[in-house]
Amino acid sequence: MDLDAITEYSALHPKPSGLILQYGTAGFRTKAEHLDHVMFRMGLLAVLRSKQTKSTIGVMVTASHNPEEDNGVKLVDPLGEMLAPSWEEHATCLANAEEQDMPRVLMDISVKAAVNLQQDAFIVIGRDTRPTSEKLSQSVIDGVTVLEGQFHDYGLVTTPQLHYMVYCRNTSGQYGEATLEGYYQKLSKAFMELTKKTLCSEDEYRSLKVDCANGIGALKLKEMEHYVSQGLSVQLFNDGTKGKLNHLCGADFVKSHQKPPQGMEMKSNERCCSFDGDADRIVYHYLDVDGHFHLIDGDKIATLISSFLKELLLEIGESLNIGVVQTAYANGSSTRYLEEVMKVPVYCTKTGVKHLHHKAQEFDIGVYFEANGHGTVLFSKAAETKIRQLTKELEDERRKAAAKMLENVIDLFNQAAGDAISDMLVIEAILMLKDLSIQQWDALYMDLPNRQLKVKVADRQVISTTDAERQVVTPPGLQEAINDLVKKYKLSRAFVRPSGTEDVVRVYAEADSQENADSLARAVSLAVFQLAGGVGETPPGF
């Protein structure tokens, strides 16, 4: 390791003094002008991680659904998964090291992680459409090259596409070809195969309106359009030609504001969906005949997909176990529908994609979607092998056809990461196969009215939780107070959890009416304020 060269290059990417950043689930994210040194250092770290794992590692320059002036970076581990927790710590240490200490910290990491510095390293790099992304990805490349790592720059790609490339390269092409062409061909072939029976019928031409959040999803959907044009007509809105990235549009805006994106003309009962800025989240929505807006979030997406998979498994007669993984934020109606109507087991984990992904890996078929529309379906190696075997061996035509459909679903999901393009194609295929309109899908169950509030506290660490954040352990008396309040309302539940980033406690409540959900949320907020050291004004409504 040439420490002199590293010091020399590092001086070209100086760290602003006093800046402290934390590597979290989303990697590093902040204002773009503060990130040059971080990008250079993540190039260095990616090389060490590649040498340690003897694998290709990915570096994605994006800030996903954040405003356009922000940017960020995250590393992608060998099978397309998020960076290992111990390396998240290394990333934080390296990013925050003062200029003169940086080479020493780098050496410390390589010793701690037992990195063979003689090992070759290969890094793949991608970026979103932010004005700052190209320059920042060049800083990553500087970090890679000073440590003599090899790299391939994919340029403009969605975050899930970069995850796909990493997975392909580390499975010797078994998962797919590590090119954009390979990605489009794999997904479109599975989609066309899955929907071919429906295309023969006299169905109206399938049309879908897509809000691309003025982000990378628009460019990539345009490239992919002709691959699926026989089965699906996609109309793109907020395609980046005039609006600002994620501004008043995109999945995050639609979900949090519960209203249509600007820049998209919606007529009643038209199927519409929204991607986020780096195309790893998707939500659906429509206007009914009275002009009321309806959101179909990750809970309903998971319900549609897992119900379809359960039906296919019953048709084949195979006892592969399927599980749906949710967080405490999943609407109670979705949990009830899955468990009681579809007889699909539901499991709850702590908030955060890595917890959901980890739990989903425990099943033959694990389905997870956060309410914000980020999710996918994971098939275990054993389940995938079994299904592919059945398509060859089954003689009964109905069972064979169901097995073939499952095989197509495996190929259609990006199992390396939640992927808005892949999820969209799966959803469209299921709606076609089941002949469901968006209103019928929405009507599978009615969401319970809910309310989320925040309470400022002096120290968020006074709150500790258990049971996947659904029960409070400390401070004493708070859980008992919540239990007493919940008893006052029908179909109700409530939980509180500390924020991961600021001194606030998040409150969630649902009940049989919006009025009762609001009332319960306010009462729980007051209990938090009184028992967990609230600061500032007492929560409103009392």
Side-chain angles (χ1 to χ4, degrees):
M1 197 187 288
D2 186 345
L3 295 182
D4 289 340
I6 291 165
T7 305
E8 197 180 315
Y9 256 82
S10 187
L12 303 173
H13 304 280
K15 174 185 178 292
S17 65
L19 180 69
I20 302 289
L21 295 170
Q22 177 80 33
Y23 192 105
T25 303
F28 290 113
R29 270 187 211 171
T30 188
K31 292 278 174 278
E33 63 263 27
H34 299 322
L35 280 168
D36 181 51
H37 73 292
V38 173
M39 298 293 172
F40 171 70
R41 295 174 184 196
M42 289 308 100
L44 299 172
L45 192 74
V47 170
L48 293 188
R49 183 64 173 153
S50 176
K51 287 173 183 286
Q52 192 227 19
T53 57
K54 301 186 174 70
S55 305
T56 296
I57 295 295
V59 181
M60 184 69 199
V61 177
T62 183
S64 188
H65 54 275
N66 280 35
E68 189 169 272
E69 52 275 14
D70 289 358
N71 218 319
V73 60
K74 56 183 175 184
L75 271 63
V76 180
D77 254 0
L79 294 180
E81 71 273 60
M82 283 177 286
L83 188 61
S86 60
W87 280 76
E88 287 186 5
E89 287 176 34
H90 296 327
T92 300
C93 284
L94 189 60
N96 293 328
E98 292 307 328
E99 207 62 50
Q100 66 277 12
D101 301 329
M102 204 272 290
R104 180 187 55 76
V105 172
L106 200 62
M107 281 305 296
D108 286 352
I109 293 168
S110 61
V111 171
K112 257 189 206 162
V115 176
N116 173 6
L117 295 172
Q118 306 312 309
Q119 178 69 36
D120 289 341
F122 196 87
I123 312 300
V124 293
I125 300 157
R127 67 176 192 270
D128 70 11
T129 53
R130 290 164 200 272
T132 55
S133 290
E134 188 170 3
K135 185 172 181 296
L136 289 174
S137 72
Q138 188 52 55
S139 302
V140 173
I141 291 168
D142 285 353
V144 172
T145 50
V146 77
L147 272 187
E148 297 179 349
Q150 300 294 304
F151 71 92
H152 179 83
D153 183 6
Y154 280 101
L156 291 164
V157 286
T158 70
T159 297
Q161 284 175 336
L162 190 78
H163 283 257
Y164 166 87
M165 302 304 175
V166 173
Y167 197 5
C168 290
R169 283 174 177 269
N170 289 318
T171 50
S172 310
Q174 282 180 306
Y175 184 67
E177 188 192 314
T179 62
L180 281 170
E181 175 82 3
Y183 171 90
Y184 298 139
Q185 283 187 343
K186 182 179 181 184
L187 265 59
S188 59
K189 182 169 177 267
F191 175 75
M192 298 308 289
E193 186 74 28
L194 191 55
T195 57
K196 65 182 177 191
K197 281 206 174 75
T198 66
L199 300 178
C200 305
S201 64
E202 292 301 307
D203 280 2
E204 58 174 19
Y205 198 59
R206 302 290 296 185
S207 178
L208 173 68
K209 289 185 167 178
V210 186
D211 155 30
C212 298
N214 290 313
I216 185 69
L219 295 181
K220 299 301 143 185
L221 269 183
K222 274 179 194 153
E223 290 174 6
M224 190 174 187
E225 236 174 333
H226 73 274
Y227 289 91
V228 294
S229 56
Q230 280 179 292
L232 184 64
S233 163
V234 179
Q235 284 179 273
L236 306 183
F237 296 84
N238 297 319
D239 64 358
T241 50
K242 35 181 198 291
K244 260 181 93 174
L245 178 70
N246 295 323
H247 182 60
L248 304 177
C249 60
D252 200 58
F253 171 82
V254 170
K255 166 73 179 148
S256 52
H257 291 83
Q258 304 271 323
K259 64 182 185 186
Q262 286 194 9
M264 180 189 245
E265 188 190 327
M266 290 174 69
K267 295 182 184 142
S268 65
N269 295 334
E270 283 184 326
R271 259 183 4 277
C272 303
C273 70
S274 289
F275 289 7
D276 71 336
D278 66 339
D280 68 353
R281 293 182 183 187
I282 183 171
V283 295
Y284 270 70
H285 43 89
Y286 69 99
L287 295 176
D288 63 23
V289 285
D290 299 320
H292 293 137
F293 178 76
H294 294 252
L295 174 74
I296 298 182
D297 66 6
D299 294 341
K300 259 194 184 142
I301 291 172
T303 304
L304 178 77
I305 292 169
S306 52
S307 303
F308 177 68
L309 295 175
K310 176 81 188 282
E311 286 164 13
L312 289 181
L313 288 173
L314 288 171
E315 186 75 60
I316 300 167
E318 271 304 310
S319 57
L320 293 172
N321 70 340
I322 182 169
V324 176
V325 188
Q326 298 183 327
T327 70
Y329 286 105
N331 196 278
S333 291
S334 71
T335 314
R336 209 167 286 122
Y337 177 84
L338 283 164
E339 290 183 330
E340 294 173 14
V341 180
M342 291 311 302
K343 306 286 186 252
V344 173
V346 178
Y347 300 84
C348 191
T349 71
K350 286 165 74 173
T351 306
V353 175
K354 59 183 169 190
H355 301 297
L356 291 149
H357 194 91
H358 186 69
K359 184 69 182 174
Q361 289 173 317
E362 294 177 17
F363 306 98
D364 292 329
I365 303 173
V367 181
Y368 74 86
F369 275 84
E370 292 182 289
N372 64 26
H374 186 281
T376 190
V377 176
L378 303 178
F379 292 82
S380 71
K381 263 284 159 261
E384 182 179 338
T385 305
K386 178 80 175 164
I387 290 161
R388 294 197 192 278
Q389 205 178 338
L390 287 168
T391 59
K392 294 189 183 88
E393 293 174 1
L394 286 172
E395 288 176 7
D396 178 90
E397 284 306 313
R398 282 174 69 105
R399 290 175 70 204
K400 193 181 186 77
K404 185 64 192 159
M405 279 186 184
L406 258 183
E407 188 175 44
N408 290 325
V409 170
I410 291 170
D411 290 334
L412 200 40
F413 271 112
N414 184 344
Q415 293 189 57
D419 183 339
I421 294 176
S422 151
D423 294 343
M424 176 191 84
L425 292 174
V426 173
I427 291 162
E428 289 300 307
I430 295 172
L431 294 177
M432 282 186 219
L433 288 161
K434 294 175 73 68
D435 196 21
L436 281 177
S437 67
I438 194 161
Q439 302 89 320
Q440 289 168 318
W441 173 20
D442 191 26
L444 287 178
Y445 62 82
M446 291 293 288
D447 274 333
L448 281 169
N450 56 82
R451 177 65 63 207
Q452 293 185 45
L453 295 173
K454 289 196 290 194
V455 181
K456 281 189 178 175
V457 290
D459 177 10
R460 67 181 183 275
Q461 292 181 342
V462 301
I463 299 246
S464 62
T465 63
T466 185
D467 188 25
E469 303 176 312
R470 291 176 292 188
Q471 296 280 318
V472 174
V473 178
T474 60
L478 180 55
Q479 187 57 52
E480 290 74 12
I482 293 171
N483 293 345
D484 290 343
L485 291 167
V486 164
K487 283 176 194 161
K488 296 179 181 178
Y489 303 94
K490 286 183 186 162
L491 298 175
S492 64
R493 69 183 181 102
F495 68 89
V496 304
R497 54 180 286 271
S499 160
T501 53
E502 51 185 331
D503 280 322
V504 300
V505 175
R506 301 189 188 282
V507 174
Y508 178 93
E510 62 185 32
D512 60 339
S513 70
Q514 191 61 58
E515 191 184 349
N516 286 344
D518 290 350
S519 178
L520 176 58
R522 287 197 302 268
V524 170
S525 295
L526 185 65
V528 169
F529 189 85
Q530 291 169 339
L531 297 171
V535 295
E537 289 180 23
T538 308
F542 297 96

